[in-house]
């Protein structure tokens, strides 16, 4: 066993640190709201931050950081450890990091895309020139993704798509839908779907905002009305969609905002130091420090899962249990972190961003709301537990 | 990074698994537990023949010179099989301090005997206050003539009743800061003035009350220097905490393995209970709990092995392992239902140990306190 980072990894971490400090604007820390493992406060899901995020991603692209986990033959560094380090450092600064295009798009196209598709899309994705939104969920297909109804009908050179997607994060600011649609209505439940890229500018697409619990426009509902999609945009085989969707899950689950957990813990420790005898009664400080010690321990557990999952992928192993545990644990810890932070802040906790007396820039009250989303989005806690128990531990499905 | 055990460590684990499955099945565990001493000489000697007591003792003193990480691998396996023995006492509480700070003569005299399972050692540390901070050490070693005299009561001394030698932490300077006034004496158990009685615990560590009444010791019995005992105790507690954690993780894994098998076989409502979501989710939580705590534990062990600063990692690993063991046995009971509530079923062997071990050596709360101190001092520097 060896828990040390290599010299190269340590050097890379320093490089990312410098990049983050140089490239983030001076007022970034006042504006960025990201709560770890939440889906409602990510800057790259918001129109307000789009010009900055686009520029930031292109700069990352120039350094090869958007394709860092890809195989070397596709311009990557084939290092999920570096991917994990990158995301750890960037999320510490609440900076934008992963993208649907680079994480899910890139890895899936490499896995199942045609040569032509690889040539056309991978360089643009790696350069940060194109952004996707994830078109999976529908009003009646949440955890049960196999129930999707959106249809894509084969018309020779193209598919014609009709239906509705929902909880579509960043659909209003992305360029393409990464769309899962039913292409064989007669197929069994877990078959007959196809993955395809749909240009957001196509006629027949209507995007309606959904304002999330934090009051932020991060996600949308999207309607498809006779939308024509050229067949060259199909990702992987026709009717192989559910399989293709599974491929990228392990890569996606690394993005848990690891660094922001550390950051919030540091901010809370600093707050307690400054406030014992002020907002915190001295008689309460022992109990509060005990809570922080437990949070610090749980954050180290999170990092254990985090590095283990990344390491396994670099070893060519598929971290099926581990990546589900990482996602499950991170999002539930996100909720615990928010709840514990609220207990520490007491009556000041619920004060909202912008309020004069709101502590820690009002990020805790916002985080308490956003923390609801982590255990629900991208496969609920219940779905993850089911995966661990059945696929991981071999328990019978019925 | 490398999360894999080395080839040698895997061999050690597999060999220990085979040995304990054959020599220490649950029926034997129960017999040993019910015996007056809680100690099986024959099993102990066989463990000695396998070189377990000498695993971390250098070859020069009759051991095999393994690293601390190797020991953790073995202890996790022992925890899995619940092997009742004075192993923890002899190796972690006896050999470790002698190795760290004993004189050359002492090492040559004692370590080969401990490594060969010929003698048993333990540590008399805790007192009636129950704490493991330096200020909790109050039993005095007063200067009498050319030597010292120890008077007082030590509690929770693991396996003292079968030990040949006791390392005893006593207060030798009342006026110094607490950390600078503790001395460690190596005392023969059958020395006049020592009386030992069992404390009876839910766990298997066989805690004893050891009363010292005018026990005479000399300068020659000091380990690590006069008033220089506390740093040794601290370093012993670090390693012992990780070792305790390893046994707890092993035990927790055994509970999950037992329960998994049961959940796949036991049928209710016409289906195996393992097909029910509520049961599946317990398993997911137990599995995640163990994986996370085990990684913390091995990282702490690795840091100790590499001589890196490890206090924070040790405290986290120890606190988390205890919580995990308790949570896992609680959920394990829920899965086994009424049968697990019986004397006949093996669950209670784990359930009893989980609580006793979590509260041993200062308990998880002491670890959380030390983590908090680290967070607040460090960030202030």
């Amino acid at each position: 066993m060896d828990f040390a980072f290599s010299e190269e990894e340590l050097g890379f971490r320093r490089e990312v640190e410098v990049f983050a400090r140089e490239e983030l604007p001076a007022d970034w820390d006042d504006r960025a709201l990201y709560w770890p493992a939440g889906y409602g406060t990510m800057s790259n899901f918001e129109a307000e931050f789009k010009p900055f995020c686009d520029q930031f991603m292109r700069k990352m692209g120039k350094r090869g950081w958007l394709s860092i986990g890809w195989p070397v033959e596709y311009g990557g560094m084939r290092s999920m450890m570096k991917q994990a380090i990158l995301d750890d450092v960037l999320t510490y600064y609440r900076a934008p990091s992963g993208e649907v295009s680079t994480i899910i798009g890139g890895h899936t196209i490499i896995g199942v895309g045609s040569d032509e598709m690889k040539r056309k899309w991978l360089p643009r994705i790696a350069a940060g020139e194109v952004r996707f939104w994830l078109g999976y969920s529908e009003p009646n297909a949440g955890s049960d993704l196999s129930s999707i109804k959106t249809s894509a009908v084969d018309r020779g050179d193209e598919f014609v798509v009709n239906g509705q997607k929902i909880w579509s994060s960043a659909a209003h600011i992305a360029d393409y839908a990464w769309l899962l649609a039913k292409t064989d209505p007669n197929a069994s439940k877990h078959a007959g779907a196809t993955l395809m890229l749909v240009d957001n500018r196509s006629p027949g697409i209507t995007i309606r905002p959904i304002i999330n619990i934090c009051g932020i426009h991060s996600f949308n509902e999207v309607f498809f009305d006779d939308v024509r999609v050229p067949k060259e945009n199909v990702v992987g085989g026709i009717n192989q969609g559910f399989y293709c969707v599974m491929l990228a899950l392990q890569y996606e689950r690394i993005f848990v905002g690891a660094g922001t957990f550390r950051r919030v813990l540091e901010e809370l420790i600093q707050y307690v130091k400054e406030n014992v005898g002020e907002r915190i009664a001295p008689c309460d400080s022992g109990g509060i420090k005990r809570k922080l010690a437990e949070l610090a321990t749980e954050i180290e557990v999170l990092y254990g899962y985090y590095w283990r999952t990344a390491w396994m992928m670099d070893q060519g192993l598929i971290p099926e249990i581990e990546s589900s545990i990482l996602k499950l644990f991170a999002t539930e810890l996100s909720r615990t972190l928010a709840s514990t932070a609220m207990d520490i802040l007491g009556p000041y906790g619920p004060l909202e961003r912008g309020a004069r007396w709101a502590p820690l820039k009002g990020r805790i009250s916002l985080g308490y709301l956003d923390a609801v989303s982590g255990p629900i989005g991208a496969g609920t806690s219940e779905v993850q537990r089911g995966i661990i128990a059945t696929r991981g531990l071999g328990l019978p499905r019925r | 990074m490398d999360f894999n055990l080395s080839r040698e460590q895997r061999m050690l684990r597999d060999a220990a698994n085979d040995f304990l499955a054959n020599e220490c099945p649950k029926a034997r565990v129960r017999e040993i537990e019910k015996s007056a001493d809680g100690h099986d000489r024959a099993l102990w000697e066989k463990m000695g023949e396998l070189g377990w007591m000498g695993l971390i003792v250098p070859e020069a003193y009759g051991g095999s010179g393994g690293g601390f990480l190797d020991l953790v691998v073995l202890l996790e396996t022992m925890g899995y099989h619940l092997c009742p023995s004075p192993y923890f006492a002899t190796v972690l509480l006896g050999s470790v301090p002698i190795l760290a700070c004993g004189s050359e003569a002492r090492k040559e005299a004692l370590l080969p005997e401990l490594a060969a399972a010929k003698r048993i050692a333990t540590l008399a540390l805790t007192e009636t206050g129950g704490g493991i901070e330096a200020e909790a050490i109050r039993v005095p070693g007063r200067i009498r003539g050319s030597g010292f005299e120890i008077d007082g009561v030590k509690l929770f001394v693991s396996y003292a009743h079968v030990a040949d030698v006791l390392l005893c932490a006593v207060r030798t300077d009342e006026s110094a800061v607490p950390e600078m006034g503790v001395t460690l004496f190596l005392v023969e158990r059958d020395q006049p003035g020592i009386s030992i009685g069992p404390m009876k615990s839910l766990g298997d560590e066989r805690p004893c009350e050891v009363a010292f009444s005018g026990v005479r010791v000399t300068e020659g019995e000091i380990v690590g220097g006069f008033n220089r005992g506390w740093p040794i105790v601290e370093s012993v507690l670090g390693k012992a905490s990780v070792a305790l954690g390893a046994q707890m993780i092993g035990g927790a894994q055994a509970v999950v393995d037992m329960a998994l098998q049961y959940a796949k076989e036991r049928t209710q409502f016409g289906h195996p209970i393992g097909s029910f979501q509520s049961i599946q989710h317990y398993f997911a939580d137990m599995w995640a709990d163990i994986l996370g705590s085990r990684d913390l534990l091995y990282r702490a062990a690795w840091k100790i092995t590499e001589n890196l600063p490890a206090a924070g990692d040790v405290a986290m690993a120890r606190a988390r392992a205890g919580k995990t063991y308790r949570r896992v046995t609680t959920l394990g009971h829920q899965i086994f239902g009424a049968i697990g509530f019986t004397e006949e079923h093996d669950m209670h062997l784990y359930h009893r140990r989980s609580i006793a071990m979590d509260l041993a050596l200062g308990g998880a709360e002491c670890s959380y306190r030390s983590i908090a101190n680290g967070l607040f001092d460090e960030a202030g520097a």
Side-chain angles (χ1 to χ4, degrees):
Chain A
M1 279 191 173
D2 181 359
F3 291 87
F5 293 98
S6 69
E7 280 307 315
E8 195 188 336
E9 287 161 354
L10 292 172
F12 179 67
R13 174 176 284 275
R14 287 190 292 272
E15 201 186 326
V16 182
E17 285 277 353
V18 171
F19 175 82
R21 282 197 290 264
E22 282 178 356
E23 297 298 339
L24 292 169
D27 64 346
W28 181 256
D29 192 54
D30 294 326
R31 293 169 62 208
L33 303 174
Y34 179 57
W35 186 257
Y39 299 110
T41 49
M42 296 170 91
S43 55
N44 56 338
F45 287 171
E46 288 179 56
E48 177 198 341
F49 290 102
K50 182 175 163 60
F52 168 74
C53 287
D54 283 353
Q55 192 192 34
F56 192 78
M57 296 305 274
R58 286 195 174 101
K59 284 180 180 166
M60 283 173 63
K62 281 210 173 70
R63 291 169 183 254
W65 290 356
L66 297 180
S67 50
I68 205 160
W70 299 2
V72 179
E73 58 265 41
Y74 299 107
M77 304 185 194
R78 209 200 167 279
S79 173
M80 288 307 285
M81 277 305 280
K82 280 190 179 171
Q83 175 74 77
I85 291 168
L86 177 69
D87 194 59
D88 181 34
V89 176
L90 291 179
T91 55
Y92 179 85
Y93 293 99
R94 299 184 171 93
S97 169
E99 266 301 323
V100 173
S101 59
T102 64
I103 309 312
I104 296 174
H107 283 285
T108 309
I109 289 172
I110 287 168
V112 297
S114 65
D115 288 345
E116 192 199 333
M117 177 160 252
K118 287 173 186 166
R119 269 195 304 276
K120 180 178 173 187
W121 290 95
L122 292 180
R124 294 176 65 196
I125 294 171
E129 286 168 6
V130 60
R131 294 181 56 179
F132 302 164
W133 61 271
L134 215 53
Y136 293 170
S137 293
E138 297 182 7
N140 291 311
S143 291
D144 181 12
L145 188 60
S146 63
S147 293
I148 55 164
K149 292 276 187 307
T150 295
S151 68
V153 177
D154 194 334
R155 291 275 159 78
D157 290 344
E158 59 188 21
F159 281 105
V160 175
V161 177
N162 280 283
Q164 183 193 352
K165 294 291 173 181
I166 197 167
W167 320 127
S168 314
S169 291
H172 57 302
I173 50 174
D175 307 301
Y176 288 84
W178 181 260
L179 185 79
L180 185 68
K182 203 82 179 175
T183 35
D184 180 357
N186 302 318
S188 68
K189 223 183 158 200
H190 293 274
T194 303
L195 199 56
M196 58 188 75
L197 278 159
V198 185
D199 192 329
N200 254 20
R201 294 164 303 183
S202 311
I205 293 184
T206 309
I207 300 174
R208 282 196 203 144
I210 299 176
I211 305 303
N212 72 32
I213 198 172
C214 306
I216 292 170
H217 175 197
S218 63
F219 52 28
N220 306 273
E221 55 183 340
V222 183
F223 299 88
F224 293 81
D225 187 10
D226 285 334
V227 176
R228 296 161 62 187
V229 182
K231 275 207 173 146
E232 64 188 44
N233 281 17
V234 167
V235 183
I238 289 174
N239 293 332
Q240 300 294 306
F242 287 115
Y243 164 74
C244 297
V245 163
M246 304 288 285
L247 276 183
L249 288 181
Q250 55 167 333
Y251 298 104
E252 177 193 15
R253 289 184 191 139
I254 274 280
F255 291 84
V256 294
T260 321
F261 283 95
R262 283 192 287 137
R263 184 66 180 273
V264 173
L265 179 69
E266 283 179 18
E267 288 166 352
L268 288 171
I269 291 169
Q270 192 58 35
Y271 176 84
V272 172
K273 279 184 182 170
E274 288 166 2
N275 279 285
V276 173
E278 294 288 329
R279 294 181 182 189
I280 295 171
C283 63
D284 289 337
S285 74
I288 284 174
K289 287 176 182 174
R290 162 71 175 73
K291 286 179 199 214
L292 289 169
E294 191 161 0
L295 273 181
T297 305
E298 298 306 300
I299 290 171
E300 284 307 313
V301 170
L302 170 69
Y303 273 104
Y305 299 140
Y306 187 64
W307 301 124
R308 174 182 276 277
T309 302
W311 171 81
M312 283 180 76
M313 286 192 266
D314 286 346
Q315 299 294 305
L317 305 167
I318 296 170
E320 185 145 50
I321 303 189
E322 292 76 8
S323 65
S324 278
I325 288 178
L326 175 61
K327 193 275 172 186
L328 168 67
F329 187 83
T331 54
E332 300 206 336
L333 183 58
S334 158
R335 205 166 53 185
T336 307
L337 180 70
S339 180
T340 307
M342 277 290 188
D343 288 339
I344 292 170
L345 299 180
Y348 294 93
L351 296 182
E352 292 190 78
R353 186 166 168 75
R356 186 184 157 210
W357 292 91
L360 301 176
K361 301 181 179 174
R363 277 194 283 244
I364 304 295
S365 63
L366 204 61
Y368 189 78
L369 300 178
D370 193 19
V372 171
S373 68
I376 296 169
T380 64
S381 288
E382 290 69 29
V383 166
Q384 304 299 339
R385 287 189 172 94
I387 291 171
I388 297 162
T390 55
R391 277 192 240 149
L393 305 180
L395 286 167
R397 282 174 197 279
R398 57 176 49 83
Chain B
M1 277 194 194
D2 183 1
F3 285 83
N4 285 329
L5 295 175
S6 70
R7 193 172 149 268
E8 289 75 18
Q9 285 161 347
R10 288 200 303 274
M11 282 166 58
L12 171 68
R13 183 194 58 196
D14 295 346
N17 251 325
D18 290 345
F19 172 79
L20 291 170
N22 289 322
E23 301 288 338
C24 193
K26 294 295 174 295
R28 189 79 199 102
V29 170
R30 286 165 180 268
E31 281 169 23
I32 300 171
E33 274 201 352
K34 289 203 174 97
S35 69
D37 281 350
H39 173 48
D40 177 348
R41 294 262 166 206
L43 176 64
W44 182 249
E45 277 164 24
K46 284 183 186 166
M47 287 160 63
E49 283 164 22
L50 292 173
W52 288 4
M53 286 65 144
L55 188 60
I56 54 163
V57 174
E59 288 174 27
Y61 306 113
S64 53
F68 184 67
L69 201 54
D70 305 326
L71 183 64
V72 166
V73 172
L74 177 61
L75 282 159
E76 187 185 341
T77 311
M78 291 173 79
Y80 189 99
H81 291 276
L82 303 177
C83 177
S85 77
Y87 185 85
F88 184 85
T90 298
V91 176
L92 274 307
L93 306 178
S95 295
V96 165
I98 303 290
L99 257 174
C101 296
S103 64
E104 196 49 43
R106 171 89 65 215
K107 287 184 191 170
E108 281 173 11
L110 192 54
L111 287 175
E113 302 224 300
L114 294 176
K118 293 205 168 69
R119 303 195 93 195
I120 291 168
T122 192
L123 175 68
L125 176 69
T126 315
E127 301 179 8
T128 51
I132 53 157
E133 303 78 29
E135 52 265 39
I137 307 303
R138 298 203 179 113
V139 167
R142 295 199 182 90
I143 296 173
R144 285 279 184 279
S146 62
F148 303 85
E149 202 172 84
I150 305 174
D151 271 295
V153 173
K154 289 283 184 181
L155 295 182
F156 306 103
V157 187
S158 181
Y159 277 99
H161 60 297
V162 296
D164 302 287
V165 289
L166 310 171
L167 267 164
C168 186
V170 298
R171 172 80 37 209
T172 41
D173 189 339
E174 307 273 356
S175 50
V177 291
E179 289 79 8
M180 298 299 290
V182 175
T183 302
L184 272 181
F185 288 98
L186 189 72
V187 187
E188 295 285 329
R189 191 214 29 177
D190 53 11
Q191 200 162 323
I194 295 179
S195 56
I196 294 173
M199 289 177 78
K200 282 191 84 176
S201 163
L202 284 179
D204 67 350
E205 74 287 5
R206 293 279 166 162
C208 296
E209 171 184 347
V210 181
F212 294 82
S213 170
V215 175
R216 303 295 299 248
V217 287
T218 67
E219 215 170 308
E221 271 106 42
I222 293 176
V223 173
F226 183 58
N227 287 333
R228 296 286 179 274
W230 190 252
I232 307 172
V233 171
E234 277 194 321
S235 113
V236 168
L237 286 175
K239 286 182 176 167
S241 296
V242 174
L244 189 69
Q247 290 175 287
M248 294 196 279
I249 292 301
Q253 185 66 53
V255 169
V256 174
D257 289 354
M258 275 164 48
L260 258 178
Q261 192 185 346
Y262 182 73
K264 288 173 185 175
E265 291 164 0
R266 167 76 173 167
T267 297
Q268 286 285 276
F269 307 105
H271 297 281
I273 61 168
S275 69
F276 304 146
Q277 283 192 328
S278 56
I279 301 290
Q280 293 187 346
H281 292 187
Y282 286 162
F283 278 109
D285 287 340
M286 292 192 284
W287 199 267
D289 206 345
I290 292 172
L291 181 70
S293 290
R294 186 189 279 121
D295 278 347
L296 277 193
L297 188 85
Y298 275 92
R299 194 178 64 176
W302 172 80
K303 284 198 174 177
I304 288 175
T305 309
E306 299 290 316
N307 287 314
L308 297 166
D313 300 82
V314 167
M316 286 184 179
R318 190 251 177 275
R320 192 58 160 57
K323 297 291 165 221
T324 295
Y325 201 6
R326 285 172 66 172
R327 284 192 289 249
V328 166
T329 58
T330 301
L331 290 179
H333 270 300
Q334 203 58 29
I335 291 161
F336 278 108
I339 190 70
F341 187 64
T342 62
E343 210 286 323
E344 181 194 354
H345 195 272
D346 288 338
M347 265 307 294
H348 69 84
L349 299 174
Y350 297 91
H351 193 52
R352 288 193 280 115
R353 280 166 177 77
S354 70
I355 189 67
M357 290 168 102
D358 183 42
L359 298 176
L361 296 179
E365 286 311 310
C366 175
S367 304
Y368 281 124
R369 247 189 341 266
S370 114
I371 296 161
N373 290 339
L375 291 179
F376 280 80
D377 293 342
E378 195 185 287

